Amino acid sequence: MNPFLERREIGRTGMVTSRLGIGSTFNAPAQVIESAFERGINYLYWGTVRQPGFAEAMVNLAKSHRDELVLTIQSYSDDPGTIEAEVEECLRTAGLETFDFLLLGNRNQRPGDGYREVFERLRERGKVRFMSLSSHNRPLLPELIADYERGESPFDLFMLRYNGVHRGAEQDVFPHVPAEGGPTICTYTATRWGHLLDPAKMPPGEAPVSARDCYRYSLSHDAVDMVLCGPANAEQMDEAIAALERGPLEAEERERIETIGAYLYGQYAPAYPDAGDAEDVSAGRAAQ
């Protein structure tokens, strides 16, 4: 069976997710999100930009399919004391009773105990069920994964950048992910902000990579459980779902994407580097 069509348990939660998740930022209409659910996509991430159409889709789907959905709300708050009110406001705005995950966004240091205390209060009140975390500090994640293996972590899912340009997780994170029983690993920016799709940014003689194959690239790594996409319309949603239907990359496809990725990494510095990226980019440019 095509492994991209199989669902995976999220950490030890008992919840299962499709290999593709949908983020809310780029404002795909509600009917696009609802159609994607009918095609097997059940992880919905109301994240950086909380579009009303995305909320509409969550509400419509929850009416008949709440137990099948995985709904995540993100908070960037640096003050844990504000998160409880933020989650309650988001629930009111979205017209929902509960989120499955509270995701602490862009955490480049180990979150303090206050965040866990707020989560426990929200969980006791039935507002959220589980917690997850995203980070641009790759060296932090092995520490948090080790906490998880010892049963000392509140996080069942970790989210990080990974694509054919940004491959640092292959050395810094993925070797620390246990083959079984570990936290769920979700990656994002599969197209590297569209750079891998842009003909004007390609090395001489190379055609751009399709969005479908960008998602296939990330999903093809054994450590990656799920990739987040951010469609703006039905065409982009179809392209992402086509990655699931096509399945893992062949070796020559991966090699081509990595060749293009290495070129892009040296030519176009990331606007927001991960820990270690600045040094890698400088080294890449020196080698040009």
Side-chain angles (χ1 to χ4, degrees):
M1 181 179 176
N2 176 353
F4 288 3
L5 298 177
E6 299 173 356
R7 294 196 171 189
R8 294 193 174 181
E9 182 178 358
I10 303 177
R12 303 185 183 112
T13 66
M15 303 194 76
V16 294
T17 180
S18 49
R19 301 293 306 279
L20 189 72
I22 307 174
S24 62
T25 298
F26 296 100
N27 204 23
Q31 59 267 31
V32 171
I33 308 302
E34 293 171 43
S35 176
F37 174 81
E38 293 170 0
R39 298 167 69 184
I41 311 305
N42 73 322
Y43 184 93
L44 304 183
Y45 177 82
W46 211 30
T48 304
V49 181
R50 296 167 182 159
Q51 300 287 4
F54 200 87
E56 179 185 349
M58 290 192 294
V59 171
N60 291 343
L61 290 168
K63 291 174 182 177
S64 300
H65 303 285
R66 184 62 186 91
D67 290 344
E68 302 166 59
L69 293 167
V70 182
L71 303 182
T72 291
I73 183 68
Q74 174 183 271
S75 176
Y76 281 129
S77 178
D78 292 327
D79 179 1
T82 68
I83 292 178
E84 201 163 357
E86 180 183 1
V87 170
E88 290 172 341
E89 176 61 26
C90 288
L91 287 169
R92 285 193 295 270
T93 301
L96 296 167
E97 295 182 358
T98 185
F99 288 108
D100 297 299
F101 278 86
L102 168 64
L103 184 138
L104 303 183
N106 192 21
R107 303 295 153 165
N108 294 327
Q109 296 179 347
R110 183 185 293 271
D113 292 341
Y115 291 98
R116 188 165 186 166
E117 292 167 4
V118 168
F119 164 67
E120 294 292 351
R121 288 200 300 271
L122 286 166
R123 183 168 63 176
E124 289 171 4
R125 298 174 55 214
K127 303 300 183 182
V128 297
R129 301 176 61 195
F130 305 105
M131 192 150 61
S132 53
L133 175 145
S134 72
S135 181
H136 286 281
N137 182 3
R138 292 193 305 262
L140 171 66
L141 291 174
E143 298 178 24
L144 300 180
I145 291 169
D147 289 347
Y148 186 88
E149 291 186 272
R150 292 191 297 267
E152 299 173 358
S153 172
F155 305 110
D156 282 283
L157 179 150
F158 295 110
M159 194 165 81
L160 66 152
R161 179 187 293 162
Y162 176 63
N163 54 53
V165 183
H166 293 275
R167 297 175 54 200
E170 293 175 1
Q171 289 76 43
D172 296 340
V173 181
F174 295 162
H176 301 275
V177 178
E180 295 182 0
T184 291
I185 302 297
C186 174
T187 67
Y188 60 97
T189 62
T191 69
R192 214 266 185 152
W193 314 298
H195 290 185
L196 285 160
L197 317 180
D198 188 345
K201 289 184 168 58
M202 291 298 102
E206 282 286 0
V209 183
S210 67
R212 180 200 68 181
D213 288 351
C214 290
Y215 294 118
R216 291 174 66 215
Y217 179 90
S218 297
L219 285 166
S220 291
H221 197 288
D222 290 342
V224 175
D225 297 296
M226 176 172 53
V227 172
L228 198 68
C229 68
N233 51 48
E235 181 181 7
Q236 291 179 5
M237 190 73 256
D238 288 344
E239 185 84 358
I241 293 176
L244 300 184
E245 297 168 345
R246 183 64 179 267
L249 290 172
E250 301 293 338
E252 60 272 18
E253 295 177 297
R254 173 171 285 275
E255 182 178 356
R256 186 178 92 87
I257 292 172
E258 290 178 352
T259 297
I260 294 171
Y263 174 83
L264 291 174
Y265 202 84
Q267 294 292 318
Y268 302 97
Y272 187 36
D274 288 331
D277 275 351
E279 294 81 0
D280 292 344
V281 170
S282 297
R285 285 178 172 165
Q288 295 295 313

